[in-house]
Amino acid sequence: MNTLSICSKNEIYKIFQRKKYWIILTVTLGITVCGALIGLISNSIVSFSSQNYPYAILSLCCYAFVPFTALMLSSDLISSECERNELRFLLTKHASRTELLFGKLAAIMVYEFFLTAANVIAALIFSLIFSGFTSVNIFAVLMSVVITVIPIAAFVSFAGIISVFCKNGISAFGMGVAAYGGFTLLGLVFSRISSSIFTSYLTLYKMIIGQNVPVFRLFLGIGVLLGFSLLFLSAASMKFEKREF
């Protein structure tokens, strides 16, 4: 466990040392701020409900920001490093292949949660400024961010298995985008099986913000996400153990 923790910290440091991930964070925050300024100012052409704006940004994170940055990160930290033979050096540091892989995925999860929380909190602040503290349920918003950890874990695991099987970063990102689109389209076209597809539960938080929480569907969503996470992680670990680099 100590080795895994060290691997995770090293990968987190590596992520935040790269300027493009600070740029991505800045751009996403810029989108959140611009949306607030456009939609929350009175007499604006586009209007947002102050109560729903943090949730609108959270949905944007779940459907766009998290998936694409997770695919980008996994392609950089796994596929690209395998292609450049950089992992051989890391394996000499007394870390097993599984610990190294899980450390990278854990670091990606940390970045994704940081990205999501930063954007939602920014949206929440703007909502409070424009509409007052009584207009937004702060606790519900924060709990929505917390429960989004489960969809983040599932998608990061999905991005990880794509990157482990691809030979370079470009192909990993392209295959990941195509697979994400395929799962999403599958759930839309075949609605009967959508409840068994993990992409259908990326906005899991929506089940806890209403007055009547659908307990069965909530636990079904959590089960599906955790099941896919374990499946992706197991397959990725087995492939990574056998991969040559």
Side-chain angles (χ1 to χ4, degrees):
M1 184 62 70
N2 185 48
T3 306
L4 178 61
S5 176
I6 294 172
C7 290
S8 300
K9 290 178 182 178
N10 289 338
E11 297 300 324
I12 292 171
Y13 177 78
K14 189 187 301 181
I15 291 171
F16 284 101
Q17 280 293 102
R18 300 187 180 188
K19 291 183 179 179
K20 70 177 180 180
Y21 292 112
W22 282 108
I23 294 173
I24 289 172
L25 179 61
T26 304
V27 170
T28 57
L29 285 172
I31 293 172
T32 299
V33 172
C34 288
L37 295 177
I38 293 172
L40 297 177
I41 295 176
S42 60
N43 300 322
S44 174
I45 297 175
V46 181
S47 61
F48 291 98
S49 167
S50 60
Q51 294 179 334
N52 294 330
Y53 189 60
Y55 299 119
I57 292 299
L58 184 54
S59 292
L60 185 61
C61 288
C62 292
Y63 284 130
F65 295 165
V66 167
F68 288 101
T69 53
L71 291 170
M72 187 181 299
L73 278 164
S74 63
S75 63
D76 281 345
L77 297 182
I78 301 174
S79 300
S80 295
E81 290 190 2
C82 287
E83 182 185 11
R84 296 192 298 266
N85 293 323
E86 294 179 1
L87 297 182
R88 290 183 180 180
F89 173 76
L90 295 176
L91 290 172
T92 63
K93 301 298 181 179
H94 306 291
S96 67
R97 291 192 175 208
T98 299
E99 288 173 331
L100 182 59
L101 175 63
F102 286 1
K104 289 178 178 292
L105 296 179
I108 296 172
M109 281 188 60
V110 170
Y111 178 86
E112 298 301 343
F113 182 76
F114 180 74
L115 176 76
T116 301
N119 278 278
V120 175
I121 289 173
L124 177 61
I125 290 172
F126 274 98
S127 294
L128 296 175
I129 290 173
F130 281 96
S131 302
F133 282 84
T134 59
S135 63
V136 184
N137 188 332
I138 299 176
F139 178 76
V141 172
L142 296 179
M143 285 302 299
S144 297
V145 174
V146 171
I147 200 171
T148 303
V149 170
I150 301 174
I152 287 175
F155 201 93
V156 169
S157 303
F158 167 73
I161 191 173
I162 296 291
S163 294
V164 167
F165 276 86
C166 291
K167 294 183 178 181
N168 57 69
I170 295 175
S171 64
F173 183 77
M175 286 290 294
V177 171
Y180 173 46
F183 272 111
T184 304
L185 184 62
L186 189 65
L188 293 174
V189 174
F190 301 99
S191 57
R192 291 184 178 180
I193 64 171
S194 62
S195 60
S196 60
I197 300 175
F198 80 100
T199 51
S200 299
Y201 299 100
L202 293 181
T203 53
L204 186 69
Y205 74 90
K206 290 182 178 180
M207 299 185 192
I208 67 169
I209 60 176
Q211 293 183 347
N212 297 319
V213 178
V215 178
F216 174 77
R217 193 162 184 272
L218 175 62
F219 280 99
L220 174 64
I222 293 174
V224 169
L225 290 169
L226 293 179
F228 270 96
S229 298
L230 292 174
L231 178 64
F232 291 146
L233 288 174
S234 299
S237 178
M238 289 188 291
K239 175 62 178 178
F240 199 68
E241 286 288 341
K242 297 178 181 180
R243 181 162 179 171
E244 295 182 3
F245 45 80

